[in-house]
Amino acid sequence: MKISGWIAILDFGSQYTQLIARRIRELGVYSEILRYNTPAVALQKRQAAGIILSGGPASVLDPNAPRPDSALFDMGTPVLGICYGLQTMAQNLGGTVQPGSQREFGHVRITRAVESPLFEGLPGALDVWMSHGDQVIDLPPGFRSTARTETCPVAAMADEKRRLYGLQFHPEVAHTPRGREILSRFVFQVCGCTADWNMGRFIEDRVAALREEIGGGQVLCGLSGGVDSAVTAALIHQAIGQQLHCIFVDNGLLRAGEAEQVAETFGQAFGMDLHVVRAGDRFFQALRGVTDPEQKRKIIGRLFVEVFSEEARRLGRVEFLAQGTLYPDVIESIAPLGGPSATIKSHHNVGGLPPDLAFSLIEPIRELFKDEVRELGRRLGLPSRIVDRQPFPGPGLAVRVLGEVTPERVALLRQADQRVQEEIEKMENYRDLWQSFAVLLPVQSVGVMGDGRTYEYTVALRIVESQDGMTADWARVPYEVLARISSRVINEVRGVNRVVYDISSKPPATIEWE
């Protein structure tokens, strides 16, 4: 997509780096996350309109702390350092950073010291979100402090002649109410960008690019029913029509009505060449006796590839494979600080295909965040039930049935989950929820129904709020909603006599139970 200017974000490992990129794109300006040590010459070659140095968990006082290419500050390109980014800029340019006499974490009020383009038109005092222990005590030559707090003399700094700016606080988070305006001033007034990044233009440009890349070739796409693969298929279908062939593997582990929705939407409404493979029996057979969560995921991922490959072979010669890779997936592969990370749980995609199925890979939405993908889906005409669908794990209900996965237990959970969805969707703000679902526990307890003793399963409700799934908090759902869910599940789902509510946050818990 042709754009007039873009913002490079150098990632020093902050948990908010993706949020910075999203905030810039929300302003209508393309942003891209790069490694913290990206050479200045590379950014100059790509004509970045501005550079943002993210925060990070390290201390600039550590000899091994990550540092940017010092040539960045001599390019003439505007640079904004945020938190750690401010400190590494100050240190690099001759300032002094020391541990603060008092650390600042959370809500803090800053007072503007002098006029600055970043604060133009804003009040003299602003509520912001701080998260730092070190602070700048001596400014680099040419800089002046533009804001301070009671304990931090440099809450913001600027060398306006060289267009170098720093913020000790985080403007990208919702806890800094005027943060969007501060970022907007940097992007438009300082960097001179134009708001020309939008999904309408993205569709036009990407459709043209796909037609050129694919030509008369054939494309294979695996549909899961989720928003990513759905938008990928819809975008490619708009570009090449019947040259696209979609495979949907019904593994028997989907939620109520999902397989039918996929067939109706893509096969009938869009008229795509859709191949539905009913493979539930094979998956249940492979999962028999398996209780370990990681083993479940690996079995399902391996079998999915087998089933997908068998169907792909029946289609004959196909040159391209389309996947719904998103920008966060690309960012994770960058590994900003190169450190090891623990395997929380395995994910699967259409990877590991046999050698005889050699494809050229197409990833048409790999530059997009989830919210952009949803907007793209709306513009492509996908229904709300797909575009606004909550994240759903690749292994499906298998990781929400704790213990052995059997057809009977999956059917039990599917019924309970259907009641959860129906009641949650009645809430006015249900789209503000990140996920809401039921989990079938391998626990039976005594109950009383119709004056008789029961000994049946327990269902746990998991309802969370989140921005990106990396962190999450349990939703404060009204008691009357929880009461209706509990009543319906216990009364309408034979085999369940107890419902509990999970009030754990992520971290330390995860969103899914497995």
Side-chain angles (χ1 to χ4, degrees):
M1 178 172 169
K2 297 177 181 178
I3 49 178
S4 60
W6 67 286
I7 302 296
I9 300 167
L10 303 193
D11 184 12
F12 288 87
S14 170
Q15 61 179 320
Y16 301 132
T17 300
Q18 290 191 34
L19 192 53
I20 299 172
R22 288 172 58 195
R23 292 290 180 260
I24 301 301
R25 293 192 185 188
E26 287 169 4
L27 294 171
V29 175
Y30 180 68
S31 62
E32 190 172 318
I33 297 173
L34 304 171
R35 287 182 60 89
Y36 69 90
N37 57 358
T38 299
V41 65
L43 295 173
Q44 206 161 26
K45 184 177 181 180
R46 292 189 55 194
Q47 298 180 324
I51 301 166
I52 295 179
L53 311 181
S54 83
S59 168
V60 297
L61 303 176
D62 186 335
N64 297 317
R67 307 185 195 285
D69 182 354
S70 59
L72 291 177
F73 307 111
D74 298 320
M75 290 168 50
T77 302
V79 181
L80 172 63
I82 295 176
C83 196
Y84 180 93
L86 170 144
Q87 295 171 10
T88 194
M89 177 192 293
Q91 187 185 64
N92 195 293
L93 295 174
T96 303
V97 179
Q98 288 186 2
S101 58
Q102 182 176 327
R103 300 193 301 171
E104 292 180 311
F105 293 96
H107 292 284
V108 176
R109 173 156 286 204
I110 64 169
T111 303
R112 291 168 53 187
V114 297
E115 290 298 321
S116 169
L118 299 192
F119 300 122
E120 185 178 320
L122 298 179
L126 294 168
D127 293 323
V128 302
W129 183 261
M130 288 278 200
S131 179
H132 70 99
D134 299 337
Q135 63 185 33
V136 176
I137 59 168
D138 290 322
L139 289 162
F143 280 81
R144 57 180 181 164
S145 174
T146 56
R148 60 179 298 123
T149 71
E150 291 183 359
T151 60
C152 181
V154 183
M157 67 181 192
D159 179 343
E160 289 162 11
K161 185 177 180 180
R162 290 190 287 173
R163 297 192 294 175
L164 304 177
Y165 299 86
L167 303 172
Q168 185 57 72
F169 58 91
H170 289 274
E172 70 273 23
V173 301
H175 303 300
T176 300
R178 309 298 290 269
R180 178 186 175 94
E181 297 169 71
I182 294 170
L183 289 172
S184 175
R185 284 160 176 72
F186 176 73
V187 169
F188 295 117
Q189 293 174 219
V190 177
C191 301
C193 291
T194 301
D196 56 4
W197 170 259
N198 62 73
M199 291 304 98
R201 287 193 58 193
F202 181 89
I203 291 174
E204 293 177 11
D205 291 353
R206 191 48 49 93
V207 164
L210 285 168
R211 287 172 178 164
E212 182 177 351
E213 180 180 4
I214 297 167
Q218 305 295 305
V219 179
L220 184 64
C221 179
L223 279 175
S224 67
V227 62
D228 303 340
S229 65
V231 172
T232 297
L235 181 62
I236 296 174
H237 186 257
Q238 182 159 320
I240 62 170
Q242 293 305 303
Q243 293 169 243
L244 172 67
H245 311 279
C246 295
I247 295 176
F248 174 65
V249 177
D250 181 359
N251 57 14
L253 304 169
L254 302 175
R255 291 188 288 193
E258 286 187 325
E260 293 75 16
Q261 285 181 9
V262 170
E264 178 186 343
T265 300
F266 297 99
Q268 298 175 28
F270 276 79
M272 294 185 189
D273 180 32
L274 176 64
H275 302 257
V276 179
V277 184
R278 307 290 183 183
D281 290 345
R282 288 178 64 176
F283 281 85
F284 283 119
Q285 178 66 31
L287 291 167
R288 182 177 295 174
V290 178
T291 59
D292 178 76
E294 189 66 9
Q295 192 177 356
K296 286 183 191 177
R297 288 178 176 271
K298 290 179 178 178
I299 289 172
I300 293 168
R302 183 179 65 248
L303 186 53
F304 176 85
V305 170
E306 289 179 11
V307 175
F308 184 90
S309 300
E310 290 169 7
E311 187 64 22
R313 290 189 183 95
R314 294 190 182 97
L315 295 175
R317 179 170 173 74
V318 177
E319 296 88 348
F320 298 93
L321 175 68
Q323 290 192 165
T325 305
L326 300 192
Y327 194 44
D329 302 323
V330 178
I331 294 168
E332 288 178 7
S333 69
I334 295 173
L337 300 180
S341 59
T343 298
I344 305 301
K345 56 190 177 186
S346 297
H347 298 266
H348 82 276
N349 206 327
V350 190
L353 292 168
D356 65 313
L357 291 174
F359 301 105
S360 295
L361 189 62
I362 295 177
E363 299 172 307
I365 58 174
R366 74 191 312 270
E367 294 100 337
L368 304 183
F369 286 105
K370 195 74 162 190
D371 52 342
E372 294 172 315
V373 173
R374 295 189 194 279
E375 174 61 23
L376 182 61
R378 294 185 189 98
R379 288 177 177 266
L380 290 166
L382 288 172
S384 176
R385 65 176 181 269
I386 289 180
V387 172
D388 296 315
R389 183 179 187 261
Q390 294 179 353
F392 187 62
L397 295 179
V399 292
R400 293 178 181 172
V401 171
L402 273 59
E404 184 178 7
V405 180
T406 66
E408 295 76 21
R409 299 186 75 202
V410 169
L412 196 69
L413 175 60
R414 185 179 289 118
Q415 294 177 56
D417 189 75
Q418 184 176 8
R419 274 72 180 172
V420 173
Q421 304 311 319
E422 289 172 353
E423 293 303 321
I424 288 294
E425 288 177 10
K426 294 176 184 177
M427 294 173 56
E428 290 185 5
N429 64 334
Y430 86 93
R431 286 183 179 170
D432 295 337
L433 299 173
W434 179 259
Q435 278 178 280
S436 51
F437 56 88
V439 179
L440 184 65
L441 305 185
V443 174
Q444 291 177 285
S445 63
V446 174
V448 178
M449 289 185 181
D451 295 326
R453 178 183 183 276
T454 63
Y455 190 62
E456 295 178 335
Y457 284 107
T458 298
V459 163
L461 302 181
R462 185 63 161 147
I463 308 174
V464 298
E465 297 174 336
S466 177
Q467 293 295 317
D468 51 20
M470 299 178 69
T471 61
D473 194 15
W474 61 279
R476 274 61 171 177
V477 177
Y479 289 156
E480 56 267 26
V481 176
L482 295 177
R484 286 199 302 270
I485 292 174
S486 176
S487 177
R488 287 198 61 191
V489 170
I490 291 173
N491 285 291
E492 297 175 20
V493 181
R494 186 177 297 275
V496 176
N497 68 356
R498 194 176 298 270
V499 174
V500 299
Y501 190 40
D502 182 350
I503 58 171
S504 309
S505 297
K506 175 186 178 180
T510 56
I511 295 177
E512 298 287 347
W513 278 49
E514 289 190 348

